[in-house]
């Protein structure tokens, strides 16, 4: 129940429905209304001296409280009103301090009772939990299987030494309208990651402390969270995490179910990290006065299909409202992020885009301005060195509460500045952004340029709502000669400390030229569009790679050495960042590279290659000692992204060693151009989510070779693609293949 402010009341005033449940002598808790790293323990408790259930008014036995709480009727916004909870129950389980170790309290366990309906209602549980002892918690369902119909409701756990409400190997329970105060370790818990079908609804947690490592039970309680979510096939609806030293909600989804649940048949092959919500919900949950509101790291949640976190409210958290890291395919929709150090942080190691949509990012609420005064906050922060295909996508975001502050409502920041230079960029897909003050619009501050040494920041304003001085679409671009070489008419950004210009009605994309020239050899890339010629130096001292950012057009490119002589590296891979939202951008057909490669000439004597409407997608000079465990192959040519959504019905491979060659073509075995290249362990190969493993029969195989006995047509064949060691077993029963020898019919 939220608090209503009434200056005539010396206690507090709530909704009469709540007040009618409270008696004289009861204890009530008011949750924290503060910000900062100590706000998690700033709740208040009071003893009721008198109550008027008609008016909903309370007086307390303690001295009159300071009327500084945010309340339903102001003076700040009602959504930030503190919660009020009745902490007294008529039935009390309280453990005595009879152990030499004061952290060993009682424990309450329901174990091995499948298909039996359990009802636990209206208990007050004090001094339970045995810190450092696995399975000893205040309220613990242990390995019960399906308990459909079981309800845990209107209970209070106080002063827990280890966790609060724990579901372990238990499915389909309902945990609703419970309270927890002053607990160590994860509070509302799904223990092994195999628990499914449970519902956590309208529960409250406050003052959740991390567990000391020296009392560890082998889990992550040293980073305790109010709601520990290890499997998303459960419902979390309308809960409140109102004060925790760490995060309010943590999606700690692992690569396998753990503990005794791992041996249950239903969990065989289950990978919680990749599970989508499906028919389950995470909706209308609240997190305030924690370190982080909600976080998806570590190890990161990567659902196999888009999954929506709906209506998340995260405010007054000391660090960030929403922390996204190592995550993919997650949508935060209708979120409210306010009065956090930053609204949201989209960090590194995301393997596919994440989305924030139809949401509001508030720098300073009226409540904070009224109670604490102005201060600087950051808005949505994203890293400059995350791959563009994995960058955050923003759609219909309102930035509010930034007036007169030169604070960044949308800000770049640095993580792992020494990361692979391929990822040094600042592309961002964002549409329909609304700012209440121009001073908070996106910028490329000179301080960030100096901090990172990066010289090629840019991001797209697809609809003119982010930083355009005239409302026209375009790109915000770092102000230097390389970035403006083919952009003659850009407008300087006048914000103090800015190192940006705005280039209207252009469409930019980054090209990546990777060469096999020995690092340290002086090499320059020369690009010409028929009117302008510009020389690009390599950005990174330990590579001869080049990353020009170019508008739409056609270009010729070549390399020169320190003497100005044109040179031809033995291998040049040309690739591109993910396509911008603007449609007219460069691709593999836009750049003609002076190259000594003779692939086209070699294919001229293959009739099918000439007449079969084939397009060269990948070209690779195979190195003597490839290492594809940590990085993808360095292709001479790679245009798979440009045909990713095109249809094709034939795939061919051409291999040449010295003077011998072989051409093999076949009916397609995949419709995904990302999976037809060399398979490798790095997730930068394939679809970016799972490693490419293909083993199947292919039809209409044609072979052309200058090696005697290989050529022929109309064959049936077998494709075996995998990036790791394999065995000799005849995996798909290829006729004539051995089950003990490595041959043409093996198994991954």
């Amino acid at each position: 129940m939220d608090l209503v402010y009434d200056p005539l009341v010396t206690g507090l005033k709530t909704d009469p429905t709540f007040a009618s449940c409270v008696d004289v002598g009861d204890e009530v808790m008011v949750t924290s209304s503060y910000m900062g790293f100590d706000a998690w323990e700033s709740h208040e408790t009071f003893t009721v001296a008198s109550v008027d259930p008609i008016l909903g008014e309370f007086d307390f036995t303690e001295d009159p409280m300071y009327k500084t709480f945010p309340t339903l009727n102001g003076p700040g916004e009602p959504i930030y009103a503190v919660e009020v909870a009745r902490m007294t129950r008529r039935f009390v389980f309280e453990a005595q301090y009879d152990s030499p170790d004061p952290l060993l309290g009682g424990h309450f366990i329901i174990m091995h009772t499948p298909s039996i309906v359990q009802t636990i209602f209206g208990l007050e549980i004090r001094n339970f939990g045995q810190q450092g002892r696995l399975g000893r918690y205040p309220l613990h369902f242990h390995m019960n299987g399906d308990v459909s119909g079981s309800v845990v409701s209107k209970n209070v756990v106080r002063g827990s030494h280890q966790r609060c409400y724990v579901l372990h190997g238990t499915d389909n329970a309902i945990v609703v309208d419970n309270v927890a105060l002053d607990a160590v370790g994860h509070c509302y818990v799904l223990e092994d990651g195999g628990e499914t079908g449970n519902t956590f609804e309208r529960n409250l947690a406050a003052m959740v402390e991390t567990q000391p490592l020296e009392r560890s039970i082998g889990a992550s309680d040293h980073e305790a969270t109010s709601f520990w979510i290890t499997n998303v096939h459960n419902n979390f609806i309308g809960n409140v995490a109102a004060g925790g030293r760490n995060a309010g909600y943590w999606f700690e989804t692992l690569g396998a179910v753990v503990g005794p649940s791992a041996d249950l048949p239903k969990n065989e092959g289950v990978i919680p990290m990749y599970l989508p919500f499906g028919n389950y919900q995470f909706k209308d949950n609240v997190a305030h006065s924690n370190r982080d509101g909600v976080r998806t790291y570590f190890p990161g949640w990567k659902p196999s299909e888009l999954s929506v976190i709906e209506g998340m409210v995260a405010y007054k958290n000391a660090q960030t409202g929403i922390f996204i890291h190592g995550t993919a395919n997650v949508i935060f929709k209708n979120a409210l992020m306010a009065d956090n150090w930053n609204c949201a942080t989209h960090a590194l190691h995301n393997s596919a885009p994440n989305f924030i949509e139809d949401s509001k990012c508030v720098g300073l609420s009226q409540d904070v301005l009224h109670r604490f005064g102005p201060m600087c906050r950051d808005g949505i922060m994203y890293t400059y060195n995350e791959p563009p295909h994995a960058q955050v996508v923003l759609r219909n975001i309102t930035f509010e509460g930034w007036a007169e502050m030169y604070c960044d409502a949308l800000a770049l920041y640095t993580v792992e500045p020494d990361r692979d230079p391929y990822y040094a960029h600042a592309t961002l897909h964002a549409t329909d952004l609304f700012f209440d003050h121009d001073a908070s619009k996106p910028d490329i501050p000179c301080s960030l340029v100096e901090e990172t040494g990066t010289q090629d920041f840019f991001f797209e304003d697809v609809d003119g709502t982010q930083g355009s001085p005239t409302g026209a679409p375009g790109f915000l671009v770092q102000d230097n000669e390389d970035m403006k070489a083919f952009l003659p008419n850009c407008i300087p950004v006048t914000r103090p400390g800015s190192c940006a210009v705005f280039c209207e009605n252009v469409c930019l994309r980054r090209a990546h030229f990777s060469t096999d020239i020995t690092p340290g050899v002086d090499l320059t890339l020369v690009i010409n569009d028929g009117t302008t010629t510009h020389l690009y130096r390599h950005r990174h001292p330990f590579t001869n790679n080049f990353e020009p950012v170019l508008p739409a057009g056609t270009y010729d490119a070549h390399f020169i050495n320190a003497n100005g002589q044109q040179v031809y590296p033995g291998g040049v891979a040309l690739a591109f960042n993910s396509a911008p939202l603007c449609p007219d951008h460069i691709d593999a057909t836009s750049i003609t590279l002076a190259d000594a490669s003779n692939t086209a000439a070699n294919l001229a004597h293959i009739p099918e290659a000439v007449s079969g409407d084939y397009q060269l997608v990948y070209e690779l000079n195979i190195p003597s000692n490839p290492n594809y465990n940590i990085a993808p192959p360095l292709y001479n040519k790679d245009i798979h992204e440009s045909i990713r959504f095109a249809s094709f019905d034939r795939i061919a491979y051409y291999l040449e060693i010295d003077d011998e060659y072989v051409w093999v073509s076949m009916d397609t075995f995949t419709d995904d151009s990302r999976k037809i290249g060399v398979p490798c362990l790095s997730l930068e190969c394939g679809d970016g989510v799972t490693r490419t493993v293909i083993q199947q029969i292919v039809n209409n195989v044609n072979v052309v070779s200058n090696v005697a006995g290989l050529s022929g047509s109309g064959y049936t064949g077998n494709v075996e693609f995998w990036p790791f060691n394999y065995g000799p077993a005849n995996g798909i029963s290829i006729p004539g293949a051995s089950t003990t020898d490595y041959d043409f019919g093996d198994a991954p």
Side-chain angles (χ1 to χ4, degrees), residues 260-278:
S261 300
D263 297 326
L264 299 177
K266 80 180 187 75
N267 293 325
E268 184 177 354
V270 172
I271 304 177
M273 180 187 298
Y274 297 137
L275 293 178
F277 274 134

Side-chain angles (χ1 to χ4, degrees), residues 356-519:
I356 303 176
E357 299 180 347
D358 305 324
S359 298
K360 182 181 288 187
C361 170
V362 179
L364 293 179
S365 67
Q366 291 301 307
D367 170 59
V368 166
L369 285 171
H370 173 77
R371 295 192 299 129
F372 303 109
M375 62 191 75
C376 202
R377 288 287 188 264
D378 286 320
I380 296 176
M381 303 186 69
Y382 65 102
T383 57
Y384 81 94
N385 50 351
E386 178 72 330
H389 69 269
Q391 191 56 272
V392 66
V393 176
L394 306 179
R395 297 171 178 159
N396 188 28
I397 309 296
T398 297
F399 294 89
E400 191 177 279
W402 305 89
E404 307 304 329
M405 295 191 300
Y406 280 98
C407 303
D408 295 315
L410 185 60
L412 296 165
Y413 80 110
T414 59
V415 175
E416 299 180 16
D418 296 328
R419 198 176 184 213
D420 187 331
Y422 176 88
Y423 299 120
H425 51 70
T427 55
L428 178 69
H429 285 186
T431 55
D432 297 317
L433 304 186
F434 304 95
F435 299 86
D436 68 352
H437 198 278
D438 285 344
S440 63
K441 287 186 175 181
D443 187 26
I444 302 171
C446 297
S447 58
L448 182 66
V449 173
E450 293 168 0
E451 175 188 351
T452 64
T454 300
Q455 296 297 316
D456 47 9
F457 285 124
F458 71 107
F459 60 85
E460 184 175 11
D461 186 351
V462 70
D463 56 5
T465 62
Q466 297 179 43
S468 172
T470 63
F475 278 75
L476 195 69
V477 174
Q478 188 170 342
D479 188 2
N480 62 51
E481 292 305 312
D482 279 356
M483 295 297 289
K484 297 189 300 180
F486 299 97
L487 299 169
N489 299 312
C490 298
I491 305 169
V493 173
T494 57
R495 176 174 173 171
S498 176
C499 277
V501 295
F502 193 86
C503 306
E504 295 183 341
N505 299 311
V506 299
C507 190
L508 301 181
R509 192 180 189 188
R510 185 189 303 278
H512 297 267
F513 294 81
S514 301
T515 78
D516 64 357
I517 295 293
T518 303

Side-chain angles (χ1 to χ4, degrees), residues 522 524 526 535 558-567:
D522 202 342
T524 298
V526 181
L535 278 61
H558 65 271
F559 295 94
I560 59 174
N561 61 21
N563 298 321
Q565 298 170 321
Q566 187 165 341
V567 294

